[in-house]
Amino acid sequence: MAGNEHVPHVRVAVIGSGFGGLGAAVRLRREGVTDFVVLERASGVGGTWRDNSYPGCACDVPSHLYSFSFAPNPEWPRTFSGQEHIRAYLEHVADLFGLWPHLRFDSEVKVMTWDPGKLHWAIETSSGPLTADVVVSATGPLSDPKIPDVPGLDGFPGKIFHSARWDHDYDLRGKRVAMIGTGASAIQIVPEIQPVVGGLTLFQRTPPWVMPRVDREISSLERRLHRALPFTTQLRRGFLWGIRELQVQAFTKHPDELGLVERMARRNMARAVKDPALRAKLTPDYRIGCKRILLSNTYYPALTRPNVEVVASGLTEIRGSTLVAADGTEAEADAIVFGTGFHVTDMPIADRVVGSEGQTLARAWSGGMKALRGATAAGFPNWMSIIGPNTGLGNSSMILMIESQLNYMADYLRQLEVLGGRVALDARPGAVDAWNGKVQERMKRTVWNTGGCTSWYLDASGRNTTIWPGTTTEFRNATRRVDLAEYEVVRAPGTTAGPGESTSGTRTEARA
């Protein structure tokens, strides 16, 4: 590939076309950067909101907060809108900001390799090669489904699919269905399919805390008001944001303050589930908030129906069409739906990123994911992630975090322009470790680490490499500007250091 003079080159290659990728594309155009492409492995935009089309799929963050501040939508139909409306919103964003010419569909990234001689990334995709000065990885943590390695799964004679790869051609009516998992997807799927299936067996390894979903239709009067007076949309968004900022302290510093919320969740369950034996199965033994608090008005009622059985144990084995739980419970099934989450702390994209020392990002992160300000990794020049390590939220909108990272991306590109010439920035290992150390120290007293649960926020070593232990305001302040002292300036071999740089071979360090 390096010797092919006809390989196209771009200033920036963005990977993924969900909220992160489209947000990056909009920001690039606003910064005057038009020499970029958005590489998307699928045939349409939307990311997780394209892939997750299961029955009942909707967001658990209010729509006016779960949208870009620079692209308010006065037409949201409900306070918590469904998947089809969110996907339509993202397509509208692509229209509004003229992003379609930059989108390259059916272009899955196979591998991207840093070329230290040419100071660019060589990228192999399913639609052909290209090179890029900068890579912005916006693949997202909820993009690659995780199906557990259950003994006997290959021999199951019925239908198998993951919630994020729903088979709409398979008719569940009258079938015996096994739902594996009780996360955010499962509590939306169960009430939708329960009325039509012959029998539904829910394999529950850990029960979730479930609060009422205060959802309603947004009236035509409200929508007209938002169209006529756009500031009212901003006021609504600001109110939703402010409430969640005030809640952060209970999650991050004083988990005991969540006791009141826990009592409300217990009452919510008691109202819907009268059977004490079933209630006992559904009652968590960990502090509320340790896992994501789920929202539903229909989940508990669905579990009380005669055609539903809750197995308070995880699936451990499959013998033909018989599913066996860890406690020995057996259930017959015609179809298995896995609501078992995604590869979050072991993202497959990390195996496809090869840095300056010939090491993959997965290898560099073998002891746990870590990135400077959630964006850049040592040994991977001019590469950054959107929704990187420790940028997730437990109670608010990820769009707020994405927009903060877009600020950082924009300033990163400005710094490259200021430095001039063929140049790259590589996060200093000491800076990455210092940032990660502070984050992990703050994480120690959060409910996610002290609440007594095992969640997808934790990696294989039990470290929380997923969640941000502070407010969205704190993160925005931390990512407003790139601090060049946290980076090594990498120049092409044979070039001299620029003004204000001290040189050591081809790597230089900005002087304070």
Side-chain angles (χ1 to χ4, degrees):
M1 178 170 160
N4 188 343
E5 295 179 359
H6 301 292
V7 171
H9 179 82
V10 293
R11 177 61 170 160
V12 182
V14 179
I15 318 298
S17 68
F19 269 99
L22 294 184
V26 172
R27 188 56 183 269
L28 287 170
R29 286 185 63 90
R30 286 187 154 191
E31 293 291 319
V33 179
T34 56
D35 182 19
F36 71 90
V37 295
V38 180
L39 302 173
E40 170 55 58
R41 66 184 178 184
S43 56
V45 302
T48 194
W49 296 107
R50 174 198 59 239
D51 297 340
N52 286 267
S53 60
Y54 59 79
C57 183
C59 190
D60 60 0
V61 175
S63 301
H64 285 92
L65 190 59
Y66 198 78
S67 46
F68 291 120
S69 64
F70 51 78
N73 179 20
E75 304 298 337
W76 288 118
R78 303 192 65 84
T79 51
F80 293 90
S81 294
Q83 173 263 343
E84 67 277 16
H85 301 112
I86 299 172
R87 182 176 181 181
Y89 169 76
L90 289 171
E91 291 173 344
H92 169 69
V93 168
D95 284 335
L96 183 65
F97 293 96
L99 304 183
W100 297 108
H102 299 280
L103 288 156
R104 302 289 182 270
F105 294 118
D106 302 308
S107 298
E108 181 176 10
V109 172
K110 301 297 185 181
V111 64
M112 59 184 94
T113 306
W114 177 251
D115 186 327
K118 297 185 177 180
L119 290 194
H120 67 208
W121 286 93
I123 306 170
E124 294 284 353
T125 80
S126 57
S127 63
L130 75 155
T131 60
D133 295 330
V134 178
V135 167
V136 177
S137 180
T139 58
L142 307 182
S143 57
D144 291 284
K146 181 166 62 177
I147 293 181
D149 185 14
V150 182
L153 182 61
D154 290 344
F156 180 70
K159 188 69 177 179
I160 301 170
F161 52 87
H162 191 278
S163 59
R165 300 291 184 268
W166 195 270
D167 189 340
H168 292 277
D169 294 327
Y170 183 77
D171 190 355
L172 291 176
R173 285 179 295 183
K175 301 293 197 308
R176 298 168 300 177
V177 179
M179 181 78 224
I180 315 301
T182 53
S185 300
I187 73 156
Q188 294 179 343
I189 293 169
V190 165
E192 292 292 319
I193 67 173
Q194 175 273 320
V196 301
V197 300
L200 177 59
T201 304
L202 177 67
F203 284 81
Q204 172 193 265
R205 188 172 56 183
T206 309
W209 285 107
V210 182
M211 293 288 286
R213 185 182 183 87
V214 188
D215 186 26
R216 65 173 179 82
E217 183 179 349
I218 296 176
S219 69
S220 58
L221 177 61
E222 290 173 274
R223 295 199 297 272
R224 285 201 302 271
L225 178 66
H226 292 328
R227 284 195 299 270
L229 302 172
F231 77 89
T232 60
T233 306
Q234 297 301 325
L235 286 174
R236 187 172 193 157
R237 178 186 177 89
F239 175 72
L240 294 167
W241 166 78
I243 290 175
R244 283 155 180 77
E245 288 290 271
L246 293 174
Q247 295 171 345
V248 170
Q249 183 169 270
F251 287 85
T252 60
K253 296 180 180 179
H254 306 292
D256 289 343
E257 294 180 359
L258 292 165
L260 174 61
V261 182
E262 192 170 299
R263 289 192 292 274
M264 293 169 61
R266 289 180 185 274
R267 285 198 294 271
N268 180 51
M269 185 195 305
R271 281 193 295 268
V273 183
K274 304 303 181 184
D275 179 6
L278 179 56
R279 219 165 38 237
K281 287 183 180 180
L282 299 176
T283 302
D285 62 359
Y286 55 88
R287 170 66 77 192
I288 194 168
C290 185
K291 289 174 176 280
R292 190 174 183 94
I293 301 171
L294 306 182
L295 306 178
S296 178
N297 301 325
T298 55
Y299 178 65
Y300 285 144
L303 298 184
T304 67
R305 301 296 186 257
N307 66 335
V308 178
E309 179 186 2
V310 177
V311 178
S313 187
L315 177 65
T316 57
E317 185 183 358
I318 298 174
R319 303 171 190 157
S321 60
T322 303
L323 279 62
V324 184
D327 65 1
T329 302
E330 297 184 0
E332 296 294 313
D334 303 309
I336 301 174
V337 179
F338 283 99
T340 45
F342 301 84
H343 290 277
V344 175
T345 59
D346 58 341
M347 292 187 291
I349 190 67
D351 287 307
R352 306 180 185 193
V353 184
V354 182
S356 57
E357 302 298 325
Q359 177 179 238
T360 66
L361 185 62
R363 181 67 182 273
W365 282 352
S366 59
M369 298 191 303
K370 55 182 179 179
L372 177 58
R373 303 181 189 272
T376 55
F380 298 84
N382 281 10
W383 179 93
M384 62 172 50
S385 64
I386 305 295
I387 317 183
N390 290 113
T391 61
L393 296 176
N395 76 311
S396 192
S397 172
M398 280 305 303
I399 313 307
L400 300 169
M401 301 296 278
I402 288 172
E403 290 195 24
S404 292
Q405 292 198 288
L406 298 182
N407 290 339
Y408 197 75
M409 176 198 74
D411 198 52
Y412 191 103
L413 293 169
R414 289 187 211 112
Q415 296 297 338
L416 291 177
E417 290 297 323
V418 170
L419 289 166
R422 293 168 61 195
V423 65
L425 293 174
D426 190 2
R428 295 173 52 232
V432 176
D433 290 341
W435 171 263
N436 188 62
K438 291 176 183 176
V439 169
Q440 292 302 322
E441 183 63 30
R442 292 183 63 179
M443 196 68 72
K444 288 180 180 178
R445 58 179 176 175
T446 67
V447 69
W448 307 298
N449 279 37
T450 64
C453 73
T454 300
S455 72
W456 58 267
Y457 300 150
L458 310 179
D459 65 16
S461 302
R463 292 173 65 250
N464 193 325
T465 57
T466 306
I467 297 293
W468 168 246
T471 65
T472 62
T473 301
E474 288 177 287
F475 189 76
R476 177 149 298 199
N477 290 335
T479 53
R480 199 172 295 279
R481 295 284 185 271
V482 169
D483 181 358
L484 280 181
E486 295 180 327
Y487 288 88
E488 292 181 7
V489 179
V490 186
R491 292 193 177 275
T495 59
T496 58
E501 299 168 15
S502 60
T503 184
S504 174
T506 58
R507 287 179 176 263
T508 63
E509 183 176 327
R511 292 195 183 108

